[in-house]
Amino acid sequence: MKSLLEVRAKGMPMTDRDGQDADDRFGAALGQVLEVAILINEDMTKGLARDGLTEPRAHLVWELSQRGPSTQRVLADALRVSPRNITGLIDGLVATGFVTREPHPSDRRATLVTFTEQGTRAAAKMAADHREFAELLFAGMSDAQFDGLVAGLDVVLARLRAAVAAAWGDSTTSDEEVERP
Amino acid sequence: MKSLLEVRAKGMPMTDRDGQDADDRFGAALGQVLEVAILINEDMTKGLARDGLTEPRAHLVWELSQRGPSTQRVLADALRVSPRNITGLIDGLVATGFVTREPHPSDRRATLVTFTEQGTRAAAKMAADHREFAELLFAGMSDAQFDGLVAGLDVVLARLRAAVAAAWGDSTTSDEEVERP
DNA sequence: TACACTCGTGAAGGTACTTCACAATGAAGA
DNA sequence: TCTTCATTGTGAAGTACCTTCACGAGTGTA
């Protein structure tokens, strides 16, 4: 992988410098969250490699499947990378047969990135895998347990969003358009 | 970022092809988990950049802080990347003043990667940030809520570990040594 | 002493990312 | 209409990370 998440999956060795909170429940919980993130990412990445997709390309495929044929500019904004980088990713996806570049009907500068049949299949598989994966993780949990988990995640998520928003500009979900009055 | 996690943070648009589980609670929960992972990763990465560290280099610094002066071979195994890659990462960390290469006292082939003072400070800051971050996410939650979250994460983590182990060799926590009888 | 193995690195190559420069095009005002 | 300004995508150049292969230097052992 690559993700920084991997950096500290296992609990901190507690320096207990100032002695507060010596059992470190919070650190352990953070460790859990990080490990979940690592494992999910690992699983996804390896699965994608089997289908001939790298992470950035898969991300692009996913966005494309949600938006339909798009200009590279739109994709760049969606993935929050430079337009130049999209050119390279599309080059790769074209070379491996997932998408094609079609002329934009009303703007001759732009191209419409469009799925091939293989691309459509890949996107559908990603969606199916997502469902299956959610099932694997949560199916069969008691309602109480599941609800407790979701409620906890809600709190964490809210705090996380607030923290990120406070530290840098907003863009809450990480794939929103940047809009500022 | 980079992480594939980013691919599908928001819930799936339910094709309800076979109609089962039409409300998609599981998909939504997975979306939550993914978004948490994305935001944490984003936050960490940006914080590191401020300290002059990239993700892979920070990961190495973290491992080094947990193991003390180590050979590059050991670090390669710990990070699960090729020894050659470690050479490059260490080159970068040496150039930016975080570590030095000291001669190994008993093996003249090997070098002991060792923190400079700056490196020690960086590792300490990472540890402090980790604690602070856990505090930010979990402090002030009711015990019931916190316990519910942790219990849910436990279940998810167990399933995840099992799934990963089933799909590929084991190596549970992602930074274990590879050991096979 | 000879053989096999280990440590770190040069060489070569791939992907993902960035910024800067630029030609083609589009859009809107004088 | 003609000029001006903004936008689209890409070439060029450069960085970081990662891999495999080859190899010289050093270790350990029979």
Side-chain angles (χ1 to χ4, degrees), chain B residues 74-136:
Chain B
V74 165
L75 293 170
D77 289 342
L79 305 202
R80 300 199 301 168
V81 297
S82 67
R84 187 59 184 86
N85 191 22
I86 295 292
T87 299
L89 294 177
I90 301 291
D91 284 350
L93 287 169
V94 168
T96 48
F98 288 91
V99 303
T100 58
R101 277 189 249 242
E102 304 297 333
H104 191 291
S106 67
D107 186 342
R108 279 188 300 170
R109 293 167 303 176
T111 66
L112 276 184
V113 182
T114 311
F115 277 134
T116 60
E117 214 212 303
Q118 177 187 176
T120 306
R121 256 184 286 124
K125 182 167 186 301
M126 286 175 62
D129 287 350
H130 185 268
R131 267 194 73 70
E132 187 193 327
F133 198 56
E135 200 79 17
L136 168 73

Side-chain angles (χ1 to χ4, degrees), chain B residues 23-68:
Chain B
D23 61 325
D24 200 26
R25 291 148 58 223
F26 299 159
L30 179 51
Q32 280 185 305
V33 172
L34 293 176
E35 191 179 348
V36 167
I38 293 167
L39 291 178
I40 289 180
N41 198 358
E42 233 169 55
D43 182 89
M44 281 182 166
T45 302
K46 294 203 185 178
L48 287 177
R50 255 193 286 109
D51 301 344
L53 284 172
T54 61
E55 295 187 22
R57 290 179 193 180
H59 192 174
L60 198 157
V61 164
W62 181 253
E63 281 296 333
L64 193 57
S65 77
Q66 297 216 304
R67 294 163 187 269

Side-chain angles (χ1 to χ4, degrees), chain A:
Chain A
M1 163 185 191
K2 288 90 228 262
S3 173
L4 212 220
L5 292 168
E6 213 162 331
V7 166
R8 328 156 201 179
K10 30 184 43 170
M12 283 282 308
M14 272 308 289
T15 50
D16 78 54
R17 198 157 18 90
D18 50 359
Q20 78 175 2
D21 210 46
D23 61 326
D24 198 24
R25 292 148 55 223
F26 299 160
L30 179 52
Q32 280 186 305
V33 172
L34 293 176
E35 191 180 347
V36 167
I38 293 167
L39 291 178
I40 289 181
N41 198 357
E42 233 170 57
D43 183 89
M44 280 182 166
T45 301
K46 295 203 186 179
L48 287 177
R50 256 193 285 108
D51 301 344
L53 284 172
T54 61
E55 294 187 22
R57 290 178 193 180
H59 193 173
L60 199 158
V61 164
W62 181 255
E63 280 297 332
L64 193 58
S65 77
Q66 297 215 306
R67 293 163 187 270
S70 310
T71 64
Q72 297 186 190
R73 178 62 173 149
V74 165
L75 293 171
D77 290 341
L79 303 202
R80 301 198 299 167
V81 298
S82 67
R84 187 59 182 88
N85 191 21
I86 295 294
T87 299
L89 294 178
I90 301 291
D91 284 351
L93 286 169
V94 168
T96 47
F98 287 91
V99 305
T100 58
R101 276 189 250 244
E102 303 297 332
H104 191 290
S106 67
D107 186 343
R108 278 186 302 172
R109 293 168 303 177
T111 66
L112 277 183
V113 181
T114 310
F115 277 135
T116 59
E117 212 211 305
Q118 176 186 177
T120 306
R121 254 183 287 125
K125 181 166 186 303
M126 285 174 63
D129 286 351
H130 184 268
R131 267 194 75 69
E132 186 192 328
F133 198 56
E135 200 80 17
L136 169 72
L137 293 189
F138 304 115
M141 279 179 67
S142 76
D143 278 4
Q145 185 127 84
F146 182 78
D147 292 344
L149 173 59
V150 169
L153 286 173
D154 263 337
V155 172
V156 168
L157 209 38
R159 294 184 181 189
L160 217 33
R161 288 204 190 101
V164 170
W168 303 278
D170 69 291
S171 121
T172 316
T173 316
S174 98
D175 60 349
E176 293 297 346
E177 302 294 337
V178 196
E179 55 197 349
R180 201 174 302 287

